[in-house]
Amino acid sequence: SAVTNNGIGVASIGFKSKLMAIKTIRDDVRGPNGPSILFGYEGIVYAVDNGAKVINCSWGGAGYSIFGQETINYATSNGALVVAAAGNSGTESSHYPSGYDNVLSVASTTSNDLKSSFSTFGTTVDVSAPGTNIYSTWQNNTYTFSSGTSMASPQVAGAGAQLRARFPALTALETKAVLLGSTYDLAAQNPG
């Protein structure tokens, strides 16, 4: 959502989109890779109930649940497109919430449109976006380079926000369909 052409930091696909920051962690609970997302699905419901039209989930893990799918169904039926990072396993493995029905699942590519070595791939992935060495905002009003499907997913969410701003009557699934219809095939660069 960063402002574009102001000479500060980074530019964004979601140019001036309104953000709704939702805390889904507890400060006292940390996993081996940092904070644990304990209330991700509750955060999705909160976002929907407070008017979000596009929800980015740069989090996830293994383990399908009916609760998770029902949360996505709730978001979709209330007009919110859920965009989610496909995961960083480097394998063709299940990852959620990106693997649920109606979610726009985002894998990561390099600047040469090659699948990032760490990116999860497979039949649950819908689209890819740059996610390797992305310069972005960071803690304490700084910027840094980061890699991961968590860097790719917000770019697709930003495109979705622009689409919803221009065509507010689109449903969540219509927004997903337009975004998917605006892509190009990377299979030739990424055999297998």
Side-chain angles (χ1 to χ4, degrees):
S1 183
V3 175
T4 303
N5 290 331
N6 64 356
I8 301 171
V10 296
S12 170
I13 292 172
F15 179 71
K16 290 188 176 180
S17 299
K18 291 182 182 178
L19 291 178
M20 181 188 304
I22 300 169
K23 185 174 181 179
T24 59
I25 63 170
R26 277 183 27 195
D27 294 333
D28 63 337
V29 179
R30 299 185 73 77
N33 298 318
S36 296
I37 307 296
L38 299 176
F39 306 106
Y41 295 108
E42 293 85 349
I44 291 171
V45 170
Y46 179 89
V48 171
D49 290 348
N50 286 278
K53 297 298 180 196
V54 178
I55 301 169
N56 180 66
C57 299
S58 284
W59 53 270
Y64 174 92
S65 74
I66 293 172
F67 172 71
Q69 182 62 66
E70 288 179 349
T71 301
I72 300 304
N73 295 345
Y74 176 77
T76 304
S77 67
N78 283 282
L81 174 64
V82 178
V83 180
N88 300 319
S89 69
T91 66
E92 187 174 1
S93 57
S94 297
H95 187 267
Y96 299 96
S98 63
Y100 289 123
D101 292 340
N102 301 323
V103 172
L104 182 53
S105 176
V106 185
S108 172
T109 60
T110 67
S111 59
N112 296 323
D113 288 338
L114 300 176
K115 182 188 81 64
S116 301
S117 61
F118 54 80
S119 184
T120 300
F121 59 95
T123 58
T124 62
V125 172
D126 295 305
V127 68
S128 299
T132 299
N133 294 324
I134 303 299
Y135 194 60
S136 187
T137 56
W138 191 242
Q139 300 169 9
N140 302 316
N141 296 317
T142 62
Y143 300 88
T144 192
F145 287 94
S146 295
S147 296
T149 58
S150 291
M151 301 305 292
S153 178
Q155 296 189 60
V156 175
Q162 285 300 306
L163 187 59
R164 294 300 294 267
R166 176 66 177 89
F167 302 102
L170 289 176
T171 68
L173 294 181
E174 288 169 340
T175 303
K176 179 180 177 180
V178 170
L179 289 170
L180 291 176
S182 303
T183 63
Y184 60 94
D185 194 338
L186 299 177
Q189 299 100 302
N190 296 280

